[in-house]
Amino acid sequence: MDLSSYTPCRLCPRQCATDRLAGVPGVCGETAELRIASYGPHMGEEPCFSGTRGSGAIFFSGCPCHCFFCQNWQISNAHGKGDAFSPDEFHRLALGLIELGVHNLNFVTPDHFWPHIEALCARLRDEGVKIPFLFNSSGYQLPSMISRYAAQMDIFLPDFKFADPVLARLVMRDERYPEIALESLRLMVAEKGFLEPFDPTGTDLAQRGVLVRHLVLPESIENTLRVLDLLREEFGRWLPLSLMSQYTPIPAAQSRPPFDRHLSAAEYQTAVDHAQELGFENLLIQPLAATDDFLPDFEKPRPFRGNPPPEP
Ligand code: SF4
């Protein structure tokens, strides 16, 4: 396994250049020791990924973004929850998910552990594993890494969080997010095309391509409208797009208005109306946070209440 990319580590736009192999973490909070916070069949993704048997989600500890309202804050913070896995343990974990019948392997926030994931995927393909591999990410990817990701992944599921650099700076301390995310998204679409098949019912499961997610934030509708405009200009109306309403204020956001409240129905409707006016044909919309079954609590052995209990 080639772990040289960890030293010095420039795997993501933070470009820390720390020596993670020597045990020095960067902004992502992680050394070169692979840490995983949770894994299992996950029903909380869009139906075209979760299907009936679940997406084989693997949640990695740490994250380069550090959005202060991160829903996965218990695992994404520096020193967040997680256990160390050797490459062989990681391989057994993946095989275990596949044996459970998951529809895909879903690598959640994979950027900062890419050398481990790249080696695992190559090994699984050599062993004849055929299910799609899914890169589930923040959108904050280094454009120069996209072809390396695409060599292993079938599906890209990136966020496009911010079109407003001021908002990006406020939330994650990097005003470059809009330009970086848009360029990475262009390259993902060039590599894999749009999601195929695109079946909102989940009957035909996604095999390949790109679906973009955008989480609408409280009192940030101008950002959302600009996100939608940019996506429409760049990719046209057939871009598969998931417009999410599930913003939930975590403890760290509760002293930071307007991020201390849920989204209002009017705000979400404004976003949906604009997406429809722009003519997006492959648009997924959510009921307004009717349930928190998929709001994780990683302190619990079963972080997502909406997922089936583990098999005995
Ligand atoms: S992956 Fe982590 S250590 Fe490497 S550049 Fe990004 S934040 Fe820094």
Side-chain angles (χ1 to χ4, degrees), residues 37-44 57 59 72 74-75 81 83 291-312:
S38 180
Y39 58 92
H42 185 43
M43 300 304 295
F59 292 83
N72 293 349
Q74 292 155 311
I75 68 172
K81 185 180 174 334
D83 296 315
T291 169
D292 59 3
D293 278 357
F294 290 102
L295 181 68
D297 182 351
F298 289 100
E299 294 299 333
K300 296 188 171 154
R302 185 177 157 210
F304 297 89
R305 282 201 320 245
N307 282 340
E311 302 210 339

Side-chain angles (χ1 to χ4, degrees), residues 194-223:
F194 294 159
L195 195 70
E196 288 184 11
F198 177 83
D199 177 5
T201 70
T203 304
D204 289 325
L205 292 158
Q207 300 298 316
R208 179 186 167 88
V210 179
L211 181 143
V212 179
R213 285 172 163 167
H214 175 69
L215 176 65
V216 186
L217 299 170
E219 236 166 281
S220 305
I221 196 65
E222 290 304 322
N223 177 60

Side-chain angles (χ1 to χ4, degrees), residues 78-312:
H79 315 299
K81 185 180 174 334
D83 296 315
F85 280 70
S86 70
D88 284 339
E89 289 168 335
F90 189 27
H91 179 247
R92 280 198 291 278
L93 180 165
L95 290 181
L97 288 173
I98 293 165
E99 281 167 17
L100 288 174
V102 296
H103 301 295
N104 45 64
L105 283 186
N106 177 355
F107 299 92
V108 185
T109 318
D111 329 42
H112 56 296
F113 283 125
W114 182 251
H116 281 90
I117 296 167
E118 182 176 54
L120 172 78
C121 292
R123 183 173 173 185
L124 292 173
R125 290 296 188 226
D126 283 348
E127 292 168 349
V129 169
K130 298 273 193 269
I131 61 172
F133 295 162
L134 197 161
F135 189 97
N136 184 344
S137 73
S138 62
Y140 187 58
Q141 272 73 62
L142 207 57
S144 59
M145 289 292 293
I146 302 300
S147 61
R148 197 169 152 189
Y149 300 147
Q152 303 299 336
M153 294 287 134
D154 303 285
I155 296 171
F156 283 113
L157 182 54
D159 293 333
F160 189 40
K161 296 171 186 282
F162 312 113
D164 176 0
V166 176
L167 184 60
R169 179 164 188 76
L170 174 75
V171 173
M172 58 173 287
R173 293 175 293 126
D174 193 343
E175 65 280 4
R176 301 171 304 156
Y177 177 95
E179 59 182 283
I180 290 172
L182 196 58
E183 178 58 13
S184 291
L185 189 46
R186 285 186 195 110
L187 295 167
M188 291 176 190
V189 171
E191 290 276 2
K192 299 290 173 183
F194 294 159
L195 195 70
E196 288 184 11
F198 177 83
D199 177 5
T201 70
T203 304
D204 289 325
L205 292 158
Q207 300 298 316
R208 179 186 167 88
V210 179
L211 181 143
V212 179
R213 285 172 163 167
H214 175 69
L215 176 65
V216 186
L217 299 170
E219 236 166 281
S220 305
I221 196 65
E222 290 304 322
N223 177 60
T224 289
L225 300 184
R226 183 68 187 131
V227 161
L228 294 172
D229 289 343
L230 274 176
L231 292 175
R232 178 68 173 81
E233 284 164 30
E234 286 282 340
F235 303 106
R237 65 196 177 103
W238 295 100
L239 175 75
L241 176 63
S242 180
L243 202 52
M244 299 188 297
S245 63
Q246 66 199 41
Y247 178 82
T248 302
I250 64 161
Q254 285 173 3
S255 58
R256 301 191 66 164
F259 302 101
D260 57 345
R261 65 168 174 85
H262 287 83
L263 195 65
S264 73
E267 285 170 319
Y268 189 60
Q269 192 58 50
T270 302
V272 171
D273 288 348
H274 194 62
Q276 290 175 336
E277 284 159 16
L278 290 171
F280 282 108
E281 297 281 350
N282 292 333
L283 180 66
L284 298 175
I285 58 178
Q286 272 186 328
L288 195 67
T291 169
D292 59 3
D293 278 357
F294 290 102
L295 181 68
D297 182 351
F298 289 100
E299 294 299 333
K300 296 188 171 154
R302 185 177 157 210
F304 297 89
R305 282 201 320 245
N307 282 340
E311 302 210 339

